[in-house]
């Protein structure tokens, strides 16, 4: 509810995080899923979540050790965020809002980028995968909008984002990364993405992708691509390829088109 200031103070409580309202009302976020207020507030506010920053400072902050031990969890949006979002994920210093056409990335409290799926299947569905790692409570706005006991999963996969291409987001040890999984015969040149909100992109001499923003440069190490053939991991030469605007894709060397292929960019949002 706009006008209701919230102070989401994170305090280590043996694997749980306390989420408190500024008037003292408190609830627990169980299962070890870490909800970081400073990352979540600007992201949900820009997505219509209705959060406003409280004038009061957080009463406690989780230690770096607690942050790094907390699992990254992907949670379905069942009304705790804007309806354009299908899933959410939070971690140490970042927050993600997933939608059908792309992902909104909030790093820290000042940097927000949109990772757009260019030319992708508009009917693709993001699917939660793996075994639930915990539960999450979202106590935002009016009580009728609160959502509690939501299962958090370690992986989110966009099935058939491009023909024969899945895009998977995974999280572990407080970090979140993504990779592309190609079925036999899939065309890797169909994979096209764009960073909305970036000033420019560049590819350095070592093959890293530079995402230039007003707050600095995010660097994505040269992609590591491979196939698994007869139980062996066979490397495939790959590199970033810049496209129009703030877009990019990948260029691949020789590989077996009759076998699955994985393209794993080096960027970890952390």
């Amino acid at each position: 509810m706009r006008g209701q200031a919230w102070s989401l103070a994170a305090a280590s409580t043996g694997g749980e995080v306390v989420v408190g309202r500024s008037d003292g009302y408190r609830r627990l976020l169980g299962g070890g899923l870490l909800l970081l207020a400073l990352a979540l507030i600007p992201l949900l506010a820009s997505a219509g979540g209705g959060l406003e920053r409280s004038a009061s400072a957080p009463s406690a902050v989780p230690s770096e050790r607690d942050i790094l031990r907390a699992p990254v969890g992907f949670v379905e949006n069942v009304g705790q965020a804007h309806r354009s979002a299908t899933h959410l994920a939070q971690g140490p210093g970042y927050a993600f809002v997933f939608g059908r056409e792309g992902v909104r990335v909030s790093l820290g409290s000042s940097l927000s980028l949109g990772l757009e799926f260019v030319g992708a299947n508009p009917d693709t569905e993001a699917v939660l995968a793996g075994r639930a790692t915990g539960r999450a409570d979202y106590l935002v706005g009016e009580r009728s909008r609160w959502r509690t006991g939501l299962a958090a999963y370690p992986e989110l996969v966009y099935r058939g984002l491009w023909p024969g291409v899945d895009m998977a987001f995974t999280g572990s040890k407080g970090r979140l990364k993504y990779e592309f999984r190609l079925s036999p015969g899939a065309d890797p040149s169909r994979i096209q993405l764009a960073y909305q909100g970036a000033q420019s992109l560049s590819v350095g001499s070592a093959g890293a992708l530079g995402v230039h923003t007003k707050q600095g440069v995010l660097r994505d190490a040269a992609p590591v691509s491979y196939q698994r053939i007869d139980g062996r991991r066979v490397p495939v030469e790959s590199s970033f390829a810049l496209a129009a605007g703030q877009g990019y894709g990948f260029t691949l060397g020789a590989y077996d088109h009759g076998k699955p292929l994985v393209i794993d960019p080096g960027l970890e949002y952390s």
Side-chain angles (χ1 to χ4, degrees), residues 77-242:
N77 178 25
V78 291
Q80 72 272 29
H82 191 271
R83 62 179 178 274
S84 62
T86 61
H87 298 83
L88 308 172
Q90 292 81 235
Y94 63 76
F96 280 53
V97 171
F98 298 87
R100 289 184 177 273
E101 298 180 355
V103 184
R104 196 72 193 171
V105 185
S106 178
L107 302 176
S109 60
S110 60
L111 177 58
S112 182
L113 297 171
L115 184 61
E116 179 185 355
F117 308 145
V118 180
N121 175 13
D123 297 323
T124 188
E125 291 188 3
V127 179
L128 293 166
R131 191 172 182 175
T133 58
R135 300 280 171 177
D137 292 348
Y138 288 81
L139 312 182
V140 180
E142 297 177 351
R143 184 183 291 269
S144 62
R145 294 184 57 195
W146 291 4
R147 300 294 184 270
T148 61
L150 303 183
Y153 290 81
E155 184 173 82
L156 180 69
V157 182
Y158 284 87
R159 305 288 190 192
L161 191 55
W162 294 276
V165 180
D166 294 346
M167 183 178 187
F169 290 84
T170 58
S172 65
K173 297 181 180 179
R175 296 186 175 186
L176 187 148
K177 65 187 299 295
Y178 68 96
E179 68 180 24
F180 301 95
R181 301 167 182 173
L182 286 74
S183 300
D187 182 1
S189 69
R190 297 291 297 272
I191 302 173
Q192 294 291 321
L193 303 107
Y195 271 109
Q196 302 300 326
Q199 293 178 319
S200 63
L201 302 182
S202 64
V203 177
S205 59
L209 177 70
V211 183
H212 300 260
T213 75
K214 293 181 180 180
Q215 285 74 30
V217 181
L218 295 175
R219 299 203 181 277
D220 191 344
V224 175
S225 301
Y226 61 92
Q227 295 180 291
R228 293 198 179 276
I229 300 177
D230 297 330
R232 297 182 300 113
R233 176 166 162 156
V234 179
V236 175
E237 183 180 347
S238 60
S239 60
F240 289 107
L242 298 182

Side-chain angles (χ1 to χ4, degrees), residues 16-84:
E16 295 179 324
V17 173
V18 175
V19 180
R21 199 174 70 180
S22 57
D23 63 5
Y25 192 92
R26 311 182 83 190
R27 291 292 299 273
L28 289 180
L29 184 73
L33 179 65
L34 189 63
L35 181 64
L36 292 184
L38 293 182
L40 181 63
I41 287 174
L43 188 64
L44 289 186
S46 64
L51 275 174
E52 294 189 11
R53 193 183 296 270
S54 172
S56 60
S59 59
V61 177
S63 69
E64 181 178 356
R65 181 181 178 184
D66 289 334
I67 289 174
L68 294 179
R69 290 173 58 188
V72 175
F74 300 89
V75 179
E76 183 180 3
N77 178 25
V78 291
Q80 72 272 29
H82 191 271
R83 62 179 178 274
S84 62

